């Protein structure tokens, strides 16, 4: 499970794909997301820097009463934010990610989106790590800093071949709960077509900031009318024959997806988990930007109260 460095020859097309993602995601971070990331994801605490004389407008709660009593003049304490955070990307590599009705597969969209989050993290001097999972934990790369580390994570996201086919969200959540000793921000990136993971999510979200990034394709819940279609379940390999021209079949599929998503939304809301919904056939930029702006607004309202 733990990653080992290997001297392997990386194909030129993979290096080119990694470079394309780097160029696009770094530009997005520099132009759109870096400041918003910094505002939304605060450091783990405050570190004392120095004291200085009080000036009108200073927060009286920052007065250092010991120094004030000793000197006879009011002094205030100054602090710096302890900026360094740990960001973990927990990414679903199950077979259902290899689907896409648009220009890209869900897994390709997820890889690029993770590139944005990783470059935003290192731009703010945070550490970022990676957990790849299917119906088991496939790979764990500990958090670290630096451009070369992020490029390695992107390469793994593009090239890693999982052993499992299905999706088990319990396994990565339990792993993160055991290895993360300090509070971290966990981006759980999946289509969330999986079994129950309530207990492990509850445990992890009590100690850490968990954000669910749901990458979906609209054709997963809304079929086109194409008549009889031979379908293969990507995760189980089970063949299916579906009559897509049947209104009853289409309604059942849509109702099942709606019920599934409704239960997920209730679970996330009850555990304080934010959700970012990404349509794999469109752009992830605006949904991600809305998430940052929405969270910053909520934090501002809480501070104002």
């Amino acid at each position: 499970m733990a990653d080992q460095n290997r001297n392997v020859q990386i194909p030129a097309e993979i290096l080119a794909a990694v470079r394309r993602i780097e160029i696009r995601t770094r530009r997005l971070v520099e132009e759109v997301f870096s400041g918003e990331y910094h505002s939304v994801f605060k450091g783990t605490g405050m570190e004392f820097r120095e004291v200085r004389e009080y000036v009108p407008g200073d927060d009286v709660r920052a007065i250092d009463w010991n120094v004030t009593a000793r000197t006879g003049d009011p002094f205030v304490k100054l602090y710096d934010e302890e900026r360094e955070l740990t960001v973990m990307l927990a990414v679903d590599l199950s077979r259902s990610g290899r689907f896409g009705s648009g220009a890209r597969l869900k897994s390709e969209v997820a890889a690029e989106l993770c590139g944005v989050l990783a470059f935003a993290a290192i731009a703010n001097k945070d550490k970022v790590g990676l957990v790849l999972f299917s119906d088991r934990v496939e790979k764990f790369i500990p958090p670290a800093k630096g451009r070369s580390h992020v490029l390695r994570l992107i390469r793994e996201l593009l090239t890693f071949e999982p052993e499992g086919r299905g999706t088990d969200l319990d396994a990565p959540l339990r792993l993160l709960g055991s290895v993360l000793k300090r509070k971290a921000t966990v981006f759980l990136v999946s289509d969330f077509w999986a079994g129950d993971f309530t207990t492990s999510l509850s445990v992890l979200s009590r100690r850490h900031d968990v954000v669910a990034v749901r990458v979906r394709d609209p054709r997963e819940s809304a079929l086109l009318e194409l008549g009889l279609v031979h379908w293969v379940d990507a995760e189980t390999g089970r063949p299916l024959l579906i009559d897509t021209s049947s209104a009853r079949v289409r309604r059942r599929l849509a109702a099942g997806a709606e019920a599934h998503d409704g239960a997920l939304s209730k679970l996330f809301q009850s555990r304080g988990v934010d959700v970012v919904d990404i349509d794999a056939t469109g752009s992830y930029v605006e949904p991600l930007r809305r998430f940052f702006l929405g969270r910053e607004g909520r934090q501002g309202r809480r501070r104002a109260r």
Side-chain angles (χ1 to χ4, degrees):
M1 179 183 67
D3 180 70
Q4 301 292 327
N5 288 324
R6 295 167 303 192
N7 293 320
V8 294
Q9 189 67 34
I10 302 169
E13 62 270 21
I14 296 300
L15 291 175
V18 172
R19 181 61 176 155
R20 283 196 300 272
I21 289 180
E22 179 190 16
I23 292 170
R24 175 168 169 75
T25 58
R26 288 187 72 175
R27 185 182 300 125
L28 283 170
V29 168
E30 290 166 2
E31 295 176 357
V32 181
F33 293 122
S34 182
E36 292 170 352
Y37 172 97
H38 185 95
S39 299
V40 168
F41 298 107
K42 298 295 184 181
T44 55
M46 302 300 288
E47 184 179 44
F48 174 73
R49 187 172 81 228
E50 61 181 353
V51 295
R52 64 158 169 77
E53 285 193 67
Y54 174 88
V55 295
D58 283 341
D59 189 341
V60 295
R61 293 173 296 181
I63 292 176
D64 187 322
W65 294 107
N66 291 329
V67 177
T68 298
R70 192 164 61 246
T71 63
D73 294 313
F75 278 75
V76 294
K77 295 179 180 179
L78 300 181
Y79 294 87
D80 288 326
E81 180 187 357
E82 290 183 24
R83 176 60 246 176
E84 184 179 290
L85 296 176
T86 296
V87 175
M88 291 300 306
L89 305 173
V91 185
D92 179 0
L93 291 188
S94 62
R95 292 294 180 91
S96 61
R98 300 182 184 183
F99 175 77
S101 63
R104 295 187 294 174
L105 304 179
K106 292 190 296 180
S107 58
E108 294 171 332
V109 174
E112 188 169 312
L113 185 148
C114 286
V116 169
L117 296 172
F119 276 115
I122 65 166
N124 284 276
K125 298 180 170 52
D126 295 337
K127 293 193 280 189
V128 58
L130 179 67
V131 178
L132 302 176
F133 67 93
S134 57
D135 51 21
R136 68 202 75 179
V137 173
E138 300 274 0
K139 192 164 199 172
F140 171 71
I141 301 178
K145 297 181 180 181
R147 171 179 173 271
S148 62
H149 177 70
V150 169
L151 294 179
R152 178 187 173 205
L153 301 188
I154 295 172
R155 189 175 71 242
E156 293 289 353
L157 283 163
L158 291 175
T159 64
F160 188 86
E161 287 294 332
E163 293 181 6
R165 298 175 62 98
T167 307
D168 179 3
L169 291 163
D170 261 329
L173 294 177
R174 287 198 306 269
L175 171 69
L176 290 170
S178 66
V179 301
L180 294 174
K181 303 307 179 186
R182 298 179 62 189
K183 184 175 181 180
T185 297
V186 177
F187 288 95
L188 183 58
V189 184
S190 176
D191 55 19
F192 292 93
W193 298 114
D196 182 68
F197 57 101
T198 302
T199 301
S200 53
L201 179 67
S202 301
V203 172
L204 190 69
S205 61
R206 278 199 293 267
R207 293 187 56 207
H208 303 284
D209 182 10
V210 181
V211 180
V213 183
R214 190 161 46 185
V215 182
R216 295 280 186 81
D217 188 290
R219 294 281 77 83
E220 293 174 301
S221 56
L223 294 175
L224 295 175
E225 292 188 48
L226 301 173
L228 288 174
V229 174
H230 289 278
W231 201 280
V232 177
D233 187 301
E235 298 197 358
T236 66
R238 185 165 64 95
L240 301 168
L241 182 63
I242 300 177
D243 184 4
T244 60
S245 63
S246 168
R248 183 173 63 86
V249 169
R250 295 197 305 276
R251 282 197 303 270
R252 283 177 58 190
L253 176 66
E258 185 177 357
H260 176 268
D261 288 352
L264 267 181
S265 296
K266 288 181 181 178
L267 172 61
F268 292 144
Q269 186 175 19
S270 69
R271 300 311 188 270
V273 173
D274 281 335
V275 181
V276 186
D277 276 312
I278 305 295
D279 181 341
T281 63
S283 170
Y284 60 79
V285 175
E286 279 308 308
L288 198 57
R289 190 166 184 270
R290 285 196 301 270
F291 158 70
F292 282 128
L293 293 175
R295 177 176 264 217
E296 185 177 7
R298 290 194 301 275
Q299 290 176 347
R301 288 192 293 273
R302 284 197 294 268
R303 287 193 293 269
R305 286 202 291 266

